Amino acid sequence: MSPNADGPGLIDALGKFERTTAQGLGSLWGMMLEHLSEKHAKAAAAWMENQEGGAGRTPDGVLVTSKELVMKVLLNADGNYTIEGYQARMNQSIGLIYLGMDWGPDYVKQSTKSNEAIGRVTRKEAFDFALKETRAALAALPDPGAFDIVKVSDTVFAAICHHWFDIPDGEFVQAGGFRLSNLVGPARCPGDYTPPSGYIVHPDPDVLLTQIGQRTGQILREAVGKFVASRRDPKNPPVGAITRALFEEFPNPEDNDLLARTIVGVMMGALPTINGNLITIVKTWQKTATLLVLQARLKKTSLADEFARAHEVIEQPMQETMQMTPTPDALWRMAVKDHTLGTTQVRAGDKIYLSVVRATQEDLGNGITDVCPLFGGDRSKQPHPTHACPGFEMGFGILLGIVYGCVERQPKTGGH
């Protein structure tokens, strides 16, 4: 793959931006995602004013804003919708895996072992490991009390991914966040996983997100493919619990590319949601008195067990912040049948915009705590959406552990 495979002049343009701004590409990436979120928030707000029934037609499709209808589309009990619109984008990036398939034999064959392995990681286990790594990352800083959550998260998520996935392995995939150099390799973890996710999952990725999401996805597929081939050697087997389960699911070398795509996709399905919400939570709390208030509450609690302390002090405000500013803020599906959603007539072929932010803010305004819409639904319920995250307990435990570790620390000047 050539450096400019995703569009002539892309790297030159990004390089110019990086050289002429203080924060470089990280700033550009943040602005791009904020722009997409603001665009959909404004669209949802405009339709909320005149919308009856929680859904309304727009020039681009059907926008769904009520919690009830968002969850109805995700559950898809009547088979009115498909997720397979994701496949065209996947094929330009990480490659096709079950995350872009509706329920069926191929979905079941490819997802069962993966979902079982992810679901075995408990919230407590994930919390304990994430807290340990967060403390280590903060302790390594010159001033552990004044930290940049993006840099801390890059370090912690690299350790978390290595523990459960063997990636980054230091050979084919390096540890690191998102930088300009990621567009030419080597592959980086966790940095390379957010752009493909944004490109595939966001309803309307712009040109820049499309190019970056395609390019980093291709780099990951190639690098993890080499990792997979190396771990077929009996002398060098995978040890991470989730990667090991996936190798068992695809034991034949002829499946190496599918296995590599699946490993990339599973990690891509988890990392951006957890990491995006983490950064929003900590940065929001650093800008307000929340971080200090919660730190004071931690000091006052009589509970000795840290997991119990986190549940008592951190969990509720953490979820409320997630509901106010969720990652992802929007999802999408395609309609496959003519039907009525709320009071809106939907036609086969319509694009369905799911406003996660409106659904979670609706709950927040009604005093309901529920972050499951961010994870595609609640997999513990029967029935549940096909693509409800099987790793909700794991992901929530990781998030709680890192946030708890950050609240323990007191920034000197309200953060960065």
Side-chain angles (χ1 to χ4, degrees):
M1 292 180 288
S2 67
N4 287 328
D6 289 316
L10 170 63
I11 292 178
D12 289 343
L14 294 178
K16 184 179 294 184
F17 182 90
E18 185 174 52
R19 289 190 296 272
T20 56
T21 62
Q23 293 180 308
L25 195 59
S27 176
L28 176 62
W29 178 244
M31 288 192 299
M32 181 168 58
L33 294 183
E34 286 177 11
H35 167 71
L36 289 167
S37 294
E38 286 174 4
K39 182 172 71 171
H40 283 277
K42 287 178 181 178
W47 277 94
M48 282 291 286
E49 294 176 2
N50 302 308
Q51 205 172 38
E52 295 181 1
R57 181 164 293 280
T58 77
D60 300 313
V62 175
L63 176 64
V64 185
T65 54
S66 77
K67 166 77 175 298
E68 178 186 1
L69 295 187
V70 166
M71 302 313 295
K72 183 175 182 177
V73 173
L74 291 174
L75 181 61
N76 195 23
D78 297 322
N80 289 327
Y81 313 100
T82 179
I83 200 172
E84 294 187 352
Y86 286 24
Q87 292 185 11
R89 298 185 193 177
M90 283 185 165
N91 284 328
Q92 295 297 315
S93 182
I94 68 169
L96 176 61
I97 67 164
Y98 67 89
L99 295 177
M101 297 177 183
D102 296 325
W103 179 268
D106 287 341
Y107 173 86
V108 172
K109 180 180 179 181
Q110 292 187 27
S111 68
T112 300
K113 290 276 189 181
S114 170
N115 288 346
E116 289 174 352
I118 295 168
R120 281 194 290 269
V121 182
T122 67
R123 185 180 298 198
K124 176 70 162 57
E125 179 187 356
F127 171 86
D128 288 342
F129 188 83
L131 177 57
K132 176 175 72 72
E133 294 299 329
T134 301
R135 285 172 169 166
L138 289 168
L141 298 175
D143 179 6
F147 59 89
D148 181 341
I149 186 56
V150 175
K151 293 180 180 178
V152 171
S153 72
D154 286 344
T155 300
V156 173
F157 277 104
I160 288 170
C161 290
H162 180 76
H163 178 70
W164 274 292
F165 293 96
D166 297 316
I167 293 172
D169 66 327
E171 181 178 359
F172 303 110
V173 182
Q174 304 294 323
F178 188 74
R179 302 291 185 272
L180 172 62
S181 59
N182 293 38
L183 299 180
V184 294
R188 300 280 178 180
C189 179
D192 282 355
Y193 287 88
T194 294
S197 175
Y199 163 57
I200 294 166
V201 173
H202 208 283
D204 286 318
D206 62 12
V207 173
L208 187 58
L209 178 54
T210 295
Q211 292 177 329
I212 296 175
Q214 290 176 351
R215 178 64 181 153
T216 50
Q218 293 163 6
I219 290 172
L220 282 171
R221 178 178 179 177
E222 181 178 323
V224 177
K226 293 176 181 177
F227 162 83
V228 165
S230 75
R231 294 303 179 100
R232 292 292 190 192
D233 185 345
K235 297 179 181 178
N236 187 33
V239 296
I242 297 176
T243 296
R244 192 169 64 245
L246 290 172
F247 268 74
E248 292 171 359
E249 187 172 11
F250 304 105
N252 301 315
E254 55 264 32
D255 290 328
N256 276 7
D257 183 54
L258 175 57
L259 174 54
R261 300 193 315 259
T262 302
I263 292 172
V264 172
V266 169
M267 295 176 69
M268 184 200 75
L271 277 171
T273 296
I274 305 169
N275 201 15
N277 285 294
L278 166 68
I279 292 170
T280 296
I281 291 164
V282 174
K283 284 194 170 185
T284 299
W285 291 1
Q286 285 177 325
K287 293 174 182 176
T288 65
T290 306
L291 202 67
L292 298 178
V293 169
L294 294 176
Q295 188 177 71
R297 289 180 186 171
L298 275 182
K299 292 177 180 178
K300 291 180 180 179
T301 181
S302 60
L303 294 171
D305 179 77
E306 288 176 322
F307 185 60
R309 287 160 58 88
H311 173 73
E312 179 184 69
V313 177
I314 306 297
E315 189 169 314
Q316 182 68 25
M318 185 178 86
Q319 290 184 92
E320 290 174 357
T321 303
M322 292 168 70
Q323 287 179 278
M324 187 64 200
T325 317
T327 299
D329 69 306
L331 299 168
W332 65 286
R333 297 291 190 267
M334 296 297 295
V336 295
K337 300 177 184 177
D338 292 350
H339 64 283
T340 301
L341 182 63
T343 59
T344 299
Q345 290 299 121
V346 179
R347 298 184 290 268
D350 279 340
K351 190 172 186 178
I352 311 298
Y353 293 78
L354 302 177
S355 180
V356 175
V357 64
R358 287 296 170 184
T360 56
Q361 288 181 357
E362 176 188 316
D363 272 350
L364 189 62
N366 291 327
I368 298 170
T369 302
D370 181 12
V371 296
C372 285
L374 284 69
F375 295 86
D378 186 348
R379 203 173 187 86
S380 69
K381 293 182 177 179
Q382 293 298 336
H384 60 72
T386 296
H387 291 281
C389 181
F392 174 78
E393 291 299 317
M394 178 185 181
F396 196 86
I398 289 170
L399 188 55
L400 187 61
I402 301 174
V403 173
Y404 179 90
C406 291
V407 172
E408 287 182 321
R409 305 288 174 165
Q410 182 176 352
K412 285 182 175 180
T413 56
H416 297 281

